[in-house]
Amino acid sequence: MARSTGTAAFGFDQYVADIQPPGLLYAALARSTKAYAQLEKVDLAGALSTPGVLAAVDGAVFHRKVGMIPTSRDEPPLALDVVRYVGEPVAAVVAVTPEAARHGADRVRILYRSLPFIPDIQASATGATTIHASMPDNILRDVRLSFGPVDECFSSAQRIVSGSYSYAGSTHAAMETHGAVAWWRPEQRLWIWSSTQSPFHLQHNLACALDLDPAAVRVLKPKVGGGFGGKCETFSHEIVTAQLSKMLNRPVRLILTREEVFYTHRGRHHALMDLRLALGSNHEILAIDADISLDGGAYAGLGVVTTHYAGQLLAIPYKLKALRFRSRRYFTNAPPAGPKRGHGSVQIRFAMERLIDKAAVSLGIDPLVWRRELALAPGASTVNELKIGSTGFGACLDRVAGASGWFDSSVEGEALGVAGSAYISGAAFPIFPNRLPHSQAMLRADRSGLFTLYTGVAEIGQGTEHAMAQLAAETLGQERHRVTVLAGDTDACPVDLGSYSSRVTLMAGKSVIAAAQEVRKQLLRAASARLKIPVEELDIIPGRIVSKADEGRGLSLKKAIALAEEQAGLVLGTGHYRPDMKPAHYKGSALGPSPAYSFSAAVARVSVDKELGLIRVLDLWLAHDCGTAIDRKSVLAQLYGCAIMGYGEALLESTGLVGSVTDPVALIDYGVPLVGDLPRIHPLIVEAPDPEGPRGAKEVGEGPLLPVIPAIANAASRALGVDLDSIPLFPDMVLEMYSP
Amino acid sequence: MGTAHANFTVNGRLHRLCVDPGEILLDTLRHRLGLTDVKWGCREGACGACTVLIDGRATPSCLRLTATLSGAHILTAGGLIAEPLAQDIAAALENKHAFQCGFCAPGILVELFALFSRAPQPSADQLEQALSGHVCRCGGYPLMMEALLKLNAP
Ligand code: FES
Ligand code: FES
């Protein structure tokens, strides 16, 4: 019999819904049923008279609007005077059982005066109705940037190709729904367990929302059942549980239902994109000109970031002389959109890769070979001043070409499609501009021979804790199981900004290695003194410190730790990381730069049923340059995850093109890929170590998603001989685009 | 509340409960009996996370009313800890790194335990069918299939 050593399979892992402090109370939210309305009255009497209900509150108890970006805090924790989307929280009820809380919330009487609502970008752009009084044109951010001689490039172009693209919204659908347990403690501090990707942002934002000293807030991140970007922001249910707990001096739990997640999710922005390419006589791209409109839903959230990324990341992975984009994020009466895996970049990458294929067809050249020629070189600087370090993009294309038999003759009724992409390994500049480290780590050795790593990283299933333990262990010359990770507690762990922008491996990794190096030094020094062998002549091997010349001479690691403790007390190493970069000299230059860029390429093999418009993906080859694979199994798991999520996004998923009512609101109606749906997936690891990465590593959690969607669309377009320029490729939409 | 009676065993222990006729087994297990090894992702039968064994059959516990289960023998993922077969399955999946966030894992373990109990060497088709009621948003399916096909090779 084999023995399981994991904690997940038998259900031992504790997620937020499993946290049960003594005296726990339960909260539920009453939500808007209108897309846009004045709140005439929020009547809590029915809720308060419900058996088991202890309290009910509406938006009046809160004094501040919240939001992730300091310059766009536009969201009341509970709606005040106006509701702006179906599902917006209006009131909260707390009771002795979850059922009583739900009944109470259902009995909150909300009187609305409906307003004409804005269902989509087109309606928003007319400006006939406004969603926020302070934003009369319904635009959160209108970014116009231009780099290089764009107009000259277009006027001197050998050829200009253009296209219009549409990309539907979609949702993360992490298996664990969001939730929080807040506990206002007798010592006048707030403890909050939350299913979050960014504990330190939550700490800060909660303190702001409730006028608390951040030091009074302790965020505890238990196991998190998936995030994919959907658990980055600070949410109403977090603020509300905290407030209710403070009012009642008892712990309060609120776990969202699956339906509520569809309102709360901050899913992928629906995007409309117009793109033009100016091509030179040698088929080089002279310039890109893009016009991007994003459906941001009712509130800002992280939308400013999305708006910039959508344009900025057009500068990679291909060489260009000039780039111009206009990117606008519109308010509509839909649930707010936000970051989802590949934030800001997935939609525009689809458009760009479709247009490259279209251009290749018109030029009569091979789209894969062409992409290879267009690839940015290592060390390149882009027109918008992104600095590329290592790139394995060419190798990614070679790998997918070789594995898929790209150059072999094709099978009747099938087609191959290719796409490429690049992504950031962490945003170089933080959301709150400051000079503080983005990540810090602390490593302690104790005389038992165990190493404890304290880090603020937020494991959400991507394998971060595992990777950090691995890096510490390698630096110390030990096996991984010697390092335990203590993370996800803002009281105990030094700051790490959180699991977003694919920053953790690189940034936390660097700080962990630095901390481990310090401990290593202390142990070598202690051993050197005892063994009377100079430090340079010693080596650390699993469990021992030995002479390089004679492995027989040495002492046990435990002994070395004890000696180090004798000499100088606690054996502790610390490390920190802040990208050593300065923004370029243009407004908006803080978004896009990263210490290192990952690269990916995909080839899809599809067959299409022309009668039904049904696209079948038979194979998906996905190559990703992650710099160095710190843990190959985790890297493979991420590649599969990206391939499947991308596949779902291309063919099965949509949160509705019209945003007035989120549709669908049940998991069963939303096309999450299941085991039987899948193509054969062939993950291919490419390693182009980056000088900026820990042991050369770059990200793998998000970037590999990007090429999957356009590779499928390109393959299907080739199979049908038409341009499929809209995602998702639902059969009826395919038939609409393809009329034989 | 509490107008119906249900007597059944959970992980070998007998419970005599007085429940609301509308209470689902998922809530009974988690809230009343404190069995947080049973997870949930939808409460509508769509994700499989809440799967338990009811008289040997893998069933989403959100789809069964507690009041109808008198006489049943129920096993949750945590209740399988001493089963060598469950240990084998879990270890094989872990070795392939098939779980990432792990939220789907207990439901999937229960499902596979039921399958391997009746078909010690399940085919790829049988495995797919068993997994077809389970959502793993982290995308572990191919790694699960790989691990399980190896496990069933004699
Ligand atoms: S919670 Fe029962 S199937 Fe999803
Ligand atoms: S491991 Fe995350 S849902 Fe399966």
Side-chain angles (χ1 to χ4, degrees), chain A residues 440-444 453-454 472 475-476 508-522 572-576:
Chain A
Q440 301 175 122
M442 199 160 81
L443 185 77
R444 178 172 65 89
L453 176 63
Y454 300 78
T475 310
L476 292 161
K510 295 275 266 200
S511 62
V512 166
I513 288 179
Q517 273 164 346
E518 275 193 15
V519 169
R520 187 187 163 100
K521 258 187 234 147
Q522 292 169 39
L572 189 70
T574 64
H576 65 273

Side-chain angles (χ1 to χ4, degrees), chain A residues 503-580:
Chain A
R503 51 176 295 290
V504 183
T505 298
L506 189 143
M507 300 199 182
K510 295 275 266 200
S511 62
V512 166
I513 288 179
Q517 273 164 346
E518 275 193 15
V519 169
R520 187 187 163 100
K521 258 187 234 147
Q522 292 169 39
L523 298 183
L524 284 172
R525 231 182 285 133
S528 161
R530 168 58 57 98
L531 295 168
K532 312 237 174 334
I533 302 174
V535 165
E536 316 75 67
E537 289 167 30
L538 290 174
D539 201 7
I540 308 193
I541 61 171
R544 286 181 69 71
I545 296 184
V546 294
S547 150
K548 284 181 187 164
D550 171 9
E551 286 218 358
R553 281 186 68 199
L555 45 73
S556 75
L557 195 71
K558 265 191 220 170
K559 182 75 193 167
I561 295 170
L563 288 170
E565 283 190 35
E566 267 176 34
Q567 283 171 10
L570 187 62
V571 182
L572 189 70
T574 64
H576 65 273
Y577 177 77
R578 177 169 52 83
D580 186 18

Side-chain angles (χ1 to χ4, degrees), chain A residues 355-381:
Chain A
L355 186 55
I356 296 234
D357 256 41
K358 189 175 176 180
V361 170
S362 79
L363 292 168
I365 56 177
D366 183 294
L368 193 149
V369 176
W370 190 32
R371 282 179 170 85
R372 208 172 180 325
E373 286 163 10
L374 294 173
L376 284 165
S381 183

Side-chain angles (χ1 to χ4, degrees), chain A residues 115-442:
Chain A
L115 299 166
F117 67 87
I118 297 181
D120 53 26
I121 293 169
Q122 289 86 348
S124 181
T126 67
T129 335
T130 338
I131 295 183
H132 295 276
S134 58
M135 302 270 173
D137 54 1
N138 286 326
I139 294 175
L140 168 71
R141 197 50 80 89
D142 184 348
V143 184
R144 296 172 197 236
L145 283 171
S146 184
F147 309 95
V150 180
D151 290 325
E152 269 169 53
C153 287
F154 275 94
S155 54
S156 69
Q158 200 70 21
R159 188 184 289 260
I160 294 172
V161 286
S162 62
S164 293
Y165 303 91
S166 154
Y167 199 105
S170 60
T171 192
H172 323 77
M175 272 304 93
E176 181 207 20
T177 66
H178 302 56
V181 175
W183 191 2
W184 184 259
R185 306 262 307 166
E187 64 269 29
Q188 304 302 295
R189 291 190 79 216
L190 174 72
W191 289 9
I192 182 163
W193 289 263
S194 183
S195 181
T196 180
Q197 295 183 225
S198 27
F200 286 94
H201 280 287
L202 179 56
Q203 179 190 39
H204 175 93
N205 290 336
L206 268 177
C208 288
L210 300 173
D211 285 319
L212 298 171
D213 179 350
V217 180
R218 178 187 192 183
V219 175
L220 296 128
K221 183 209 69 72
K223 264 292 264 207
V224 170
F228 314 112
K231 294 171 178 172
C232 282
E233 297 197 19
T234 298
F235 294 99
S236 173
H237 61 267
E238 293 166 325
I239 301 165
V240 163
T241 46
Q243 173 69 21
L244 290 171
S245 176
K246 190 163 180 244
M247 281 167 56
L248 297 168
N249 286 301
R250 284 177 65 179
V252 176
R253 180 158 93 198
L254 201 168
I255 308 297
L256 299 191
T257 64
R258 179 55 59 183
E259 180 189 344
E260 287 179 292
V261 176
F262 280 96
Y263 306 133
T264 308
H265 65 163
R266 316 280 149 150
R268 178 98 62 223
H269 290 67
H270 166 45
L272 299 173
M273 300 158 284
D274 291 317
L275 218 55
R276 290 196 307 145
L277 291 186
L279 301 174
S281 48
N282 296 319
H283 302 161
E284 73 274 26
I285 302 180
L286 300 176
I288 301 178
D289 189 9
D291 191 318
I292 303 153
S293 299
L294 301 168
D295 179 347
Y299 293 102
L302 277 164
V304 171
V305 177
T306 324
T307 316
H308 282 85
Y309 274 156
Q312 286 286 69
L313 299 184
L314 273 170
I316 46 177
Y318 306 117
K319 286 178 282 198
L320 345 154
K321 287 205 169 61
L323 166 66
R324 177 168 62 204
F325 66 85
R326 180 175 192 188
S327 182
R328 278 167 288 187
R329 185 184 188 268
Y330 288 93
F331 287 109
T332 65
N333 291 113
K340 183 183 169 196
R341 209 176 202 170
H343 186 192
S345 178
V346 174
Q347 303 93 321
I348 196 71
R349 185 48 44 198
F350 161 72
M352 179 68 184
E353 296 300 310
R354 279 293 305 122
L355 186 55
I356 296 234
D357 256 41
K358 189 175 176 180
V361 170
S362 79
L363 292 168
I365 56 177
D366 183 294
L368 193 149
V369 176
W370 190 32
R371 282 179 170 85
R372 208 172 180 325
E373 286 163 10
L374 294 173
L376 284 165
S381 183
T382 67
V383 282
N384 55 352
E385 297 177 59
L386 309 183
K387 308 266 181 299
I388 307 300
S390 71
T391 157
F393 186 46
C396 286
L397 286 164
D398 292 344
R399 290 289 297 279
V400 290
S404 66
W406 178 264
F407 298 107
D408 305 344
S409 58
S410 63
V411 178
E412 177 66 29
E414 291 175 8
L416 297 177
V418 65
S421 63
Y423 201 62
I424 54 173
S425 293
F429 306 104
I431 292 173
F432 305 101
N434 63 60
R435 298 280 297 157
L436 296 166
H438 295 211
S439 192
Q440 301 175 122
M442 199 160 81

Side-chain angles (χ1 to χ4, degrees), chain A residues 399-691:
Chain A
R399 290 289 297 279
V400 290
S404 66
W406 178 264
F407 298 107
D408 305 344
S409 58
S410 63
V411 178
E412 177 66 29
E414 291 175 8
L416 297 177
V418 65
S421 63
Y423 201 62
I424 54 173
S425 293
F429 306 104
I431 292 173
F432 305 101
N434 63 60
R435 298 280 297 157
L436 296 166
H438 295 211
S439 192
Q440 301 175 122
M442 199 160 81
L443 185 77
R444 178 172 65 89
D446 81 50
R447 53 193 87 166
S448 71
L450 183 77
F451 298 92
T452 308
L453 176 63
Y454 300 78
T455 150
V457 299
E459 171 71 58
I460 53 171
Q462 80 277 50
T464 282
E465 290 185 10
H466 204 72
M468 292 307 119
Q470 175 82 25
L471 286 173
E474 278 174 13
T475 310
L476 292 161
Q478 304 305 307
E479 296 122 325
R480 181 167 59 207
H481 68 82
R482 290 242 179 221
V483 180
T484 64
V485 178
L486 224 147
D489 177 348
T490 57
D491 269 13
C493 305
V495 172
D496 176 273
L497 294 180
S499 289
Y500 59 87
S501 88
S502 265
R503 51 176 295 290
V504 183
T505 298
L506 189 143
M507 300 199 182
K510 295 275 266 200
S511 62
V512 166
I513 288 179
Q517 273 164 346
E518 275 193 15
V519 169
R520 187 187 163 100
K521 258 187 234 147
Q522 292 169 39
L523 298 183
L524 284 172
R525 231 182 285 133
S528 161
R530 168 58 57 98
L531 295 168
K532 312 237 174 334
I533 302 174
V535 165
E536 316 75 67
E537 289 167 30
L538 290 174
D539 201 7
I540 308 193
I541 61 171
R544 286 181 69 71
I545 296 184
V546 294
S547 150
K548 284 181 187 164
D550 171 9
E551 286 218 358
R553 281 186 68 199
L555 45 73
S556 75
L557 195 71
K558 265 191 220 170
K559 182 75 193 167
I561 295 170
L563 288 170
E565 283 190 35
E566 267 176 34
Q567 283 171 10
L570 187 62
V571 182
L572 189 70
T574 64
H576 65 273
Y577 177 77
R578 177 169 52 83
D580 186 18
M581 295 167 74
K582 286 198 179 62
H585 294 290
Y586 62 90
K587 194 167 182 290
S589 62
L591 288 156
S594 172
Y597 295 86
S598 72
F599 294 84
S600 321
V603 165
R605 189 165 68 91
V606 309
S607 69
V608 184
D609 182 324
K610 294 182 179 171
E611 307 273 274
L612 299 175
L614 207 65
I615 295 165
R616 242 186 97 212
V617 184
L618 306 166
D619 288 277
L620 200 53
W621 292 270
L622 178 57
H624 179 73
D625 161 25
C626 61
T628 304
I630 291 170
D631 179 67
R632 291 189 88 78
K633 284 183 188 177
S634 308
V635 171
L636 284 176
Q638 286 297 316
L639 290 183
Y640 279 116
C642 282
I644 293 171
M645 193 170 269
Y647 166 82
E649 218 163 300
L651 296 178
L652 308 172
E653 300 181 33
S654 167
T655 37
L657 288 167
V658 179
S660 59
V661 176
T662 306
D663 167 41
V665 292
L667 193 63
I668 198 112
D669 298 325
Y670 184 80
V672 173
L674 299 171
V675 69
D677 302 329
L678 301 180
R680 281 183 297 271
I681 296 164
H682 314 273
L684 304 161
I685 300 175
V686 170
E687 295 176 282
D690 197 283

Side-chain angles (χ1 to χ4, degrees), chain B residues 48-60:
Chain B
C50 66
T51 301
V52 298
L53 287 176
I54 302 179
D55 295 326
R57 284 186 52 166
T59 312

Side-chain angles (χ1 to χ4, degrees), chain A residues 175 225-226, chain B residues 98-105 108 135-140 144:
Chain A
M175 272 304 93
Chain B
F99 299 126
Q100 294 181 38
C101 78
F103 200 74
C104 64
I108 285 177
V135 178
C136 175
R137 187 54 157 171
C138 298
M144 289 177 205

